Amino acid sequence: MKALGPVDQLFLFLERRQQPMHVAGLQLFSYPEDAGPKYVSELAAQMRDYCCPVAPFNQRLASRFGQPMWTEDKQFDIDAHFRHEALPKPGRIRELLALVSAEHSNLLDRERPLWEAHLIEGIRGRRFAMYTKIHHSLVDGISAMRLGMRALSPDPEVRDLAPVWATPPRKRRPGMPSNPVEAVSGLAQLTAGLSKQVATVPALAREVYKVSQKAKNDPDYVSIFQAPQCMLNERITGSRRFAAQSYSMARIKKIGNAFGCTLNDIVLAICGSALRDYLISQNALPNQPLIAMVPVSLRQDDSAEGNQIATILANLGTHIADPANRLRVIKASVEEAKCRYRQMSPAEILNFTALMLAPTGINLLTGMAPKLQAFNVIISNVPGPKEPLYWNGAKLEGMYPVSIALDRIALNITLTSYVDQLEFGLIGCRRTLPSMQRLLDYLENGIHELEVAAGIR
């Protein structure tokens, strides 16, 4: 048995019917050239034979002395986790996204290992998909990406690859540290954790003072109480809508080169533009700029379990009509946060993050202070593979992250890179955000207006 870390426990504690706490990935494949008409059915039969999962797919929740633990499931039932489904005709991407929206709305069964995999056929153009969801208490974004890559190969000729739940982890590279969660446990873990917390207090106090002083003088600076009230931050239901789209990475990098900005700066500017357009269409644009919570990974190992993340708060400049000026505000906001973190240790960063997110945490846990919010939307960028990948000869055409919408944080924009594409996955509450799928059109418009501002178009 292995104890859950504090962040992992938090993801379990936050789960409600209206707030499922699982993350997922949608992988779109094209058939191998030699695939017959029963290809997916035969593939499903082969996948069901893999009924002995590896960690973390064989772990279920247990309790020891009141402490939640992970323990191996000795009565694993593959039929409770693997589904073979077909889209209704005409089998468009619209129907695929509708299926994912419905499945992502459902809670995972806590009496079993917290994951499901759905093999989906009937997609136009000789394509099929895999939708795999797993509880956030088991993985963060980086580790979820690594799990998804386990079963894939850069070689289209490789066959007999196991599904992700039965693919053992790759051997750790020499010299890489082990997962710190696995390195210590019990009383030793508690003692080490307390000593680290105490050691961060002086640096944390200095940073809090700097933040409070700078917020008084800089109108573009992001403080933890700056996020305005917005329709993105209303109460949510358990019903989800998922939207996804691919965009050319070369196109976005070209904009970044023209403005001297990073890829992430441009992504935030595109999202800021889309959110501005969407809120204007709903007559709901606040006068103050929206604030995005942007997760950053502190993972320094090859592990694929647990959560090792911190966050920054970014000003999206949604109050600014001019795209170039909006980008300037975003870049300055992100750079300020990066400069702060460069002077801090990982433990100090985690504690500073906890302090920043305390108002939102209070809301999520108690609902007692709805007007105290540190951010309006979550925007996350997870690096992905740089070369084409295959699964038993089927080419991976696209991979779209499906993340979490939270109460009063009704929209989550997560993207990942794949070869020469940026794959956007948007998840939101269907009731809180009507016509949310229009954000895909607004993202395209955000790219276009930056190209115009940069003189590319």
Side-chain angles (χ1 to χ4, degrees):
M1 300 179 79
K2 184 175 74 172
L4 279 73
V7 176
D8 305 336
Q9 292 185 48
L10 179 63
F11 285 126
L12 288 172
F13 187 74
L14 288 175
E15 188 160 66
R16 310 280 191 276
R17 175 61 198 94
Q18 75 275 17
Q19 188 169 273
M21 295 301 293
H22 48 255
V23 293
L26 175 65
Q27 298 175 320
L28 187 63
F29 295 92
S30 57
Y31 282 35
E33 291 184 4
D34 58 352
K38 297 183 178 180
Y39 170 76
V40 179
S41 297
E42 293 168 352
L43 186 61
Q46 295 169 13
M47 294 172 73
R48 276 201 173 85
D49 290 338
Y50 290 95
C51 52
C52 296
V54 300
F57 296 96
N58 62 352
Q59 301 293 301
R60 67 172 180 84
L61 283 170
S63 179
R64 186 178 184 185
F65 306 118
Q67 170 77 10
M69 311 284 287
W70 294 121
T71 186
E72 185 175 352
D73 187 0
K74 301 295 186 181
Q75 297 178 315
F76 182 81
D77 180 4
I78 187 62
D79 289 331
H81 298 271
F82 174 65
R83 315 268 201 283
H84 174 206
E85 299 166 301
L87 288 185
K89 291 182 178 180
R92 299 165 298 183
I93 294 299
R94 179 185 300 179
E95 280 76 40
L96 176 61
L97 298 181
L99 186 151
V100 171
S101 298
E103 292 293 349
H104 207 69
S105 303
N106 299 327
L107 293 169
L108 290 164
D109 183 357
R110 292 200 180 190
E111 296 299 315
R112 304 178 185 276
L114 295 173
W115 65 273
E116 288 179 4
H118 299 251
L119 178 64
I120 306 163
E121 64 175 318
I123 305 173
R124 278 181 176 176
R126 284 176 58 83
R127 293 178 293 177
F128 69 97
M130 277 292 297
Y131 163 73
T132 307
K133 69 180 183 181
I134 184 168
H135 204 278
H136 210 338
S137 59
L138 279 166
V139 296
D140 59 32
I142 298 295
S143 55
M145 175 64 67
R146 290 176 179 171
L147 287 173
M149 296 303 99
R150 276 185 186 179
L152 304 178
S153 170
D155 186 353
E157 302 303 320
V158 172
R159 298 295 190 273
D160 299 322
L161 290 171
V164 62
W165 64 84
T167 305
R170 297 183 177 95
K171 293 182 179 179
R172 198 183 309 278
R173 296 198 304 268
M176 291 298 295
S178 60
N179 188 342
V181 174
E182 299 174 344
V184 290
S185 61
L187 182 60
Q189 183 177 355
L190 178 62
T191 303
L194 287 174
S195 64
K196 287 183 179 180
Q197 303 304 313
V198 172
T200 67
V201 170
L204 197 59
R206 289 193 299 271
E207 290 304 323
V208 170
Y209 177 77
K210 290 179 184 177
V211 167
S212 62
Q213 293 301 305
K214 193 164 186 178
K216 295 177 182 178
N217 305 314
D218 188 344
D220 293 331
Y221 187 77
V222 180
S223 70
I224 62 174
F225 299 117
Q226 183 179 333
Q229 292 296 301
C230 176
M231 69 176 292
L232 299 177
N233 310 119
E234 302 294 333
R235 301 299 300 268
I236 66 171
T237 68
S239 181
R240 297 289 176 265
R241 184 186 294 278
F242 177 61
Q245 185 66 55
S246 298
Y247 299 94
S248 165
M249 192 183 303
R251 188 180 174 194
I252 295 173
K253 284 183 175 179
K254 194 171 183 180
I255 299 171
N257 292 335
F259 283 108
C261 295
T262 68
L263 180 78
N264 284 336
D265 291 338
I266 303 302
V267 164
L268 289 174
I270 293 167
C271 293
S273 173
L275 288 168
R276 174 182 165 85
D277 288 346
Y278 175 76
L279 292 173
I280 288 174
S281 75
Q282 301 294 318
N283 297 314
L285 180 67
N287 292 326
Q288 297 79 29
L290 297 187
I291 305 301
M293 189 268 273
V294 184
V296 293
S297 176
L298 299 180
R299 191 172 292 275
Q300 298 178 345
D301 54 42
D302 282 340
S303 61
E305 298 179 46
N307 290 271
Q308 300 178 44
I309 51 176
T311 63
I312 65 173
L313 298 180
N315 185 332
L316 292 180
T318 49
H319 61 308
I320 300 172
D322 181 74
N325 285 339
R326 190 185 312 127
L327 177 58
R328 175 190 59 79
V329 168
I330 291 169
K331 180 181 179 181
S333 171
V334 172
E335 185 57 34
E336 190 281 331
K338 288 180 179 178
C339 287
R340 180 192 303 124
Y341 282 175
R342 289 189 196 109
Q343 304 169 34
M344 301 168 73
S345 69
E348 291 167 350
I349 293 172
L350 284 173
N351 281 345
F352 188 81
T353 293
L355 184 66
M356 280 198 309
L357 302 185
T360 302
I362 292 171
N363 285 331
L364 289 173
L365 292 171
T366 69
M368 294 175 61
K371 293 187 178 180
L372 290 179
Q373 58 186 49
F375 56 91
N376 304 101
V377 63
I378 300 172
I379 302 176
S380 181
N381 187 356
V382 181
K386 297 181 180 180
E387 59 182 345
L389 294 175
Y390 300 82
W391 186 43
N392 294 313
K395 185 179 180 181
L396 180 65
E397 300 289 352
M399 48 189 301
Y400 305 95
V402 195
S403 195
I404 297 173
L406 299 169
D407 196 32
R408 300 191 185 278
I409 310 292
L411 176 66
N412 185 310
I413 302 174
T414 304
L415 58 146
T416 189
S417 55
Y418 176 52
V419 192
D420 57 357
Q421 302 174 159
L422 277 179
E423 318 275 44
F424 280 71
L426 286 65
I427 193 77
C429 173
R430 296 179 72 95
R431 188 184 70 180
T432 308
L433 304 177
S435 304
M436 190 202 81
Q437 68 275 14
R438 291 182 184 171
L439 278 165
L440 298 180
D441 296 328
Y442 297 142
L443 286 170
E444 172 61 35
N445 183 66
I447 298 173
H448 181 267
E449 70 176 13
L450 283 170
E451 290 173 328
V452 171
I456 297 171
R457 288 200 183 192

